[in-house]
Amino acid sequence: MKKSIPYGRQYLDDEDIDAVVKTLKSDYLTQGPMIAKFEEAFANYVGSQFAVAVSNGTAALHLSALVLNIRPGDKVITTPITFSATANCVRYCGGEVILCDIDPETYLLDVSKLKKLLGSEPKGTIKGIIAVDFAGRAANLAEYRDLANEYDLWIIEDACHAPGGYFLDSNGQKQYCGNGKYSDLSIFSFHPVKHIAAGEGGMITTNDEELYKSLQLLRTHGITKEKENFINDISLAASSDLASDYQGWYMEMHQLGYNYRLTDFQAALGLSQLRKADRGLIRRREIAAKYNDAFQGMDSIRGQSGVIEGHAYHLYILEAHNRLGLYRFLRERQILVQVHYIPLHYMPYYKQHGLEGVSLPQAENYYKHCLSLPMYPTLSEEELDYVIASVLEFSNG
Ligand SMILES: *Cc1c(COP(=O)(O)O)cnc(C)c1O
């Protein structure tokens, strides 16, 4: 096989391209009608009341941290096995990142350790939790919510890996990632390696109307054009220079916001991609099932245990006894496996910002062995068989 096989890749068809071209030919490149359409469709898809489209997943995290009012010195708990951006939003606001070790079965925050961590600090010092649906496995946010209520915390769900993923609650009901029932805010990314590609792009979903309004304001410079929100007295009777100034040009800046807008042609692409998201999920789950079958009962490698209902399989992770050997072997065969992720407390920046000397044995052990195999909807059966045969060849050789 000559063509290389990446660990993940986007899939764009003619429908997607037509949607973008149509928007490029319209009157709006940005701040047009596609944004609201995409937001509405996305909220509908995940089952939340509100959605705010932004320029990327990192901006979604930053705005979330701002509206939840993270202040210098505030402590926020997250997982060491995630992309840096998850934790960076805390640092943007001057907060402190506290890491909790992972459960070696799920690779998600270990809830029993989370409980211990919360109990070990004086109440009120830890302000929130950023849960990550790592690899596409939905965190059981109902459990987090109970803790959050007990300790008066907010929850951000980083669902970048898991649009369409869900967990089953104690009544056996599907709780979709980002549905806003248990988290205050959930965030998504539309980077090309994620499920839905918009070039760059992000989304925040919530059921909290106040947070929703704050997010909208901060996305566009903190400026509002809505008369009912104006703070200045602009009535005819007022004696200021602004008296009767409510004309088309009038607007007010209320907060120090940003330009974190998504463009209309990105929203058009996102909307078109969203229509195919469920088809992609079906294929991802098929691929995972085939990997699981192939690697069952082996000693030197461990696939993700069983088929997990609701898993969105952004990644398929294998744990290998000889990870470096397997990495090199597969790379030589043009299978571009990756490692997700280097634990956050190994990052020089985080060592310099409070995480030097932190010990998280499960995360560290996971990092020694993990490898992400190719996982994307357009991976062909032939390519999939080739990947499996190569892994088995290495393991049996
Ligand atoms: C991709 C990703 C982000 C950041 O999203 P961008 O759109 O690349 O800014 C944040 N968290 C996780 C877990 C991600 O995978």
Side-chain angles (χ1 to χ4, degrees), residues 56-59 61 82-83 85-86 132 158 160-161 187 189-191 194 200-201 314 341:
N56 55 62
T58 305
L61 283 160
T82 187
F83 184 52
T86 306
V132 180
D158 181 338
C160 285
H161 293 184
I187 70 104
S189 163
F190 307 123
H191 182 278
K194 311 292 161 77
E200 297 279 357
H314 168 58
Y341 290 97

Side-chain angles (χ1 to χ4, degrees), residues 51-206:
V52 179
V54 291
S55 45
N56 55 62
T58 305
L61 283 160
H62 186 195
L63 290 188
S64 299
L66 286 168
V67 300
L68 290 169
N69 202 25
I70 298 181
R71 322 272 308 184
D74 286 355
K75 292 179 178 175
V76 176
I77 298 178
T78 193
T79 167
I81 303 299
T82 187
F83 184 52
S84 313
T86 306
N88 293 351
C89 69
V90 177
R91 297 293 307 147
Y92 295 156
C93 301
E96 275 179 54
V97 175
I98 310 275
L99 298 179
C100 176
D101 209 355
I102 60 165
D103 174 335
E105 281 303 310
T106 63
Y107 309 149
L108 308 180
L109 277 185
D110 183 328
V111 177
S112 64
K113 291 196 176 118
L114 186 58
K115 269 184 206 161
K116 266 195 212 140
L117 197 54
L118 288 168
S120 71
E121 296 262 346
K123 238 182 179 172
T125 48
I126 295 171
K127 304 291 185 188
I129 305 170
I130 309 181
V132 180
D133 301 314
F134 173 65
R137 183 168 180 144
N140 187 328
L141 291 186
E143 290 177 356
Y144 291 62
R145 188 77 256 170
D146 290 342
L147 284 174
N149 290 344
E150 190 181 338
Y151 289 92
D152 198 17
L153 314 171
W154 47 253
I155 299 171
I156 297 176
E157 176 188 23
D158 181 338
C160 285
H161 293 184
Y166 61 86
F167 70 91
L168 296 175
D169 67 15
S170 54
N171 298 320
Q173 297 289 314
K174 292 177 185 179
Q175 298 294 342
Y176 282 89
C177 297
N179 73 2
K181 242 172 116 170
Y182 304 99
S183 69
D184 295 274
L185 299 164
S186 297
I187 70 104
F188 296 85
S189 163
F190 307 123
H191 182 278
V193 299
K194 311 292 161 77
H195 291 213
I196 295 160
E200 297 279 357
M203 193 73 83
I204 309 160
T205 61
T206 184

Side-chain angles (χ1 to χ4, degrees), residues 182-245:
Y182 304 99
S183 69
D184 295 274
L185 299 164
S186 297
I187 70 104
F188 296 85
S189 163
F190 307 123
H191 182 278
V193 299
K194 311 292 161 77
H195 291 213
I196 295 160
E200 297 279 357
M203 193 73 83
I204 309 160
T205 61
T206 184
N207 290 345
D208 184 318
E209 190 164 8
E210 239 172 79
L211 291 178
Y212 168 64
K213 285 183 175 161
S214 301
L215 290 166
Q216 282 186 316
L217 196 65
L218 288 173
R219 171 178 62 181
T220 304
H221 310 285
I223 287 174
T224 181
K225 288 179 181 171
E226 284 171 41
K227 193 176 182 182
E228 63 271 22
N229 296 332
F230 291 160
I231 293 170
N232 285 331
D233 185 358
I234 52 162
S235 65
L236 279 170
S239 55
S240 73
D241 290 343
L242 289 170
S244 79
D245 246 3

